[in-house]
Structures are given as C-alpha cells and as structure tokens.
Amino acid sequence: GENVEQHPSTLSVQEGDSAVIKCTYSDSASNYFPWYKQELGKRPQLIIDIRSNVGEKKDQRIAVTLNKTAKHFSLHITETQPEDSAVYFCAASPFLGSGGSNYKLTFGKGTLLTVNP
Amino acid sequence: SQTIHQWPATLVQPVGSPLSLECTVEGTSNPNLYWYRQAAGRGLQLLFYSVGIGQISSEVPQNLSASRPQDRQFILSSKKLLLSDSGFYLCAWAPILPRNEQFFGPGTRLTVL
C-alpha cells in the first residue's frame, strides 16, 4: 500500500518568513495530493490540493509543488502570519480507479507549524 | 451545500462500557464515508470506510466496529471500551468518483477512564 512520509515534524518561523513542508510517497499510482490544516481542537480543513497533471498550484499565500518523478510534493506558505499556526497534513491517493482501496487517502504524520509574532 | 454532523461532541466513558458515535451527512447522495481516530492530537489513523449501505472495510484490527444503516449515516461502535480507545474521532465524507476530496466532521473527543 501507499506510504507517505512528512518532514519536518515541527517547524517554527518568524512572522513574515516562508515555511516549507515536504512529503514523499511510495505508490507511483497515486495522483491526487491534498493538504489539510488542523487548528488546535478542530477538524482538519482542506486548504489546497494538486493532481498529477500539473506541477504547481497557487492560492494566494499558499502553493503546492509536485515532482512525480521523484515522488515528492511540498507545501509553501509565504508571508506567514500567526493565524497560520496549526498542524498541517499531506496525503496521497489514486485519483481514479475501482475497488475499495482506491477510495482512501494515506496521510503523513503531520507538521506542527508555529509562527512567532 | 453539504454538511456533516457528529455527535456527541465530547464523551467520557468508563472502561468496559459500550460506545456508539454517529455521523450523518446532508446535501449529498451516495457519499464515501470514513472513520478516523486521532490520538495525542497528531496523526490521523483510518479505522473504517464505506462506499455504500452495508459495505464496511476495516483498516486495523481492534475492538471497534462500524455500520452504515442508511446512505448518509455512519456509526462507530464498541461493546467494551479500552483505555487505549481514548482520542479524537473524526468522520469524513467524500463525493463519489472521480473526485477524491475528503471533508471532515467536527469530531467527537472520547475519554475512557
């Protein structure tokens, strides 16, 4: 099955700096890669995702890049703000397919991002 | 728009007692449904998923079970809780293929004493 590794496990930055979180995956059939943000005590929220037919996607201050050859993808947050502080999860999944296993997301273990004012 | 509900929001139960957590989704039909557990506020462990009524797939052996009696209802149960069952239980739904996005419910925080 799929295995997703996420680094770093904790990241501390100063407000205004950039933050980068990296993930690697093992299954070459995976072609959907979402990122979730989870604030303390709350549910994970989907913040951005990318599919394998594109190499980069941006949404305001966040961007995700994908390198399918190397099987890794990254989340980039620019001009960080204290409200960006949260745990971030990456995940991977096959986009299309039949059979129950293709309906699952495999998550990384999470990165605790702290933005210091 | 779609909405996902979970209840109860918090629960404190003694060891050995039964458990029933409920999840319902509104505004969609035939969703895929998932139960996750999150211990110590970090990793998301997939417990069960369902692609249709009565269809349950288990990811890890444990003393929990799941059922889907209706299209938009997903229930997590246990006959006898263990201390290790404490955690944050999240239900999630995903639209039918070809989309993969999963959307999480507000969660149930379970403490087993």
Side-chain angles (χ1 to χ4, degrees), chain B residues 5-85:
Chain B
H5 303 280
Q6 286 186 246
W7 62 88
T10 59
L11 190 60
V12 180
Q13 292 284 92
V15 169
S17 64
L19 174 74
S20 181
L21 303 181
E22 189 165 345
C23 170
T24 59
V25 183
E26 297 177 353
T28 188
S29 296
N30 195 30
N32 297 328
L33 296 172
Y34 307 83
W35 279 113
Y36 291 87
R37 178 170 58 202
Q38 189 172 38
R42 290 299 295 270
L44 294 161
Q45 180 187 30
L46 178 63
L47 302 175
F48 302 94
Y49 67 95
S50 172
V51 300
I53 296 174
Q55 301 179 61
I56 307 295
S57 296
S58 175
E59 286 296 293
V60 292
Q62 58 212 332
N63 70 322
L64 299 172
S65 62
S67 62
R68 184 170 177 174
Q70 301 180 44
D71 180 45
R72 290 170 288 178
Q73 184 185 31
F74 205 22
I75 297 172
L76 183 69
S77 304
S78 174
K79 292 182 179 179
K80 290 185 177 182
L81 284 168
L82 306 173
L83 286 174
S84 58
D85 291 324

Side-chain angles (χ1 to χ4, degrees), chain A residues 37 47 82:
Chain A
K37 174 185 180 182
I47 56 172

Side-chain angles (χ1 to χ4, degrees), chain A residues 9 32 36 38 41-44 46 49 51 89 93-97 100-101 103-105 107 109-110 112, chain B residues 4 32 34 36 38 41-44 46 49 51 59 88 90 97-106 109:
Chain A
S9 57
Y32 172 66
Y36 288 81
Q38 186 179 28
K42 298 189 176 180
R43 75 185 85 181
L46 178 66
D49 57 15
R51 304 188 193 279
F89 293 97
S93 165
F95 180 46
L96 289 174
S101 63
Y103 294 88
K104 297 188 302 182
L105 286 175
F107 285 88
K109 294 188 184 302
L112 175 61
Chain B
I4 180 169
N32 297 328
Y34 307 83
Y36 291 87
Q38 189 172 38
R42 290 299 295 270
L44 294 161
L46 178 63
Y49 67 95
V51 300
E59 286 296 293
F88 192 39
L90 290 155
L97 290 177
R99 297 168 60 190
N100 288 61
E101 298 96 328
Q102 287 188 21
F103 303 96
F104 287 86
R109 190 161 303 280

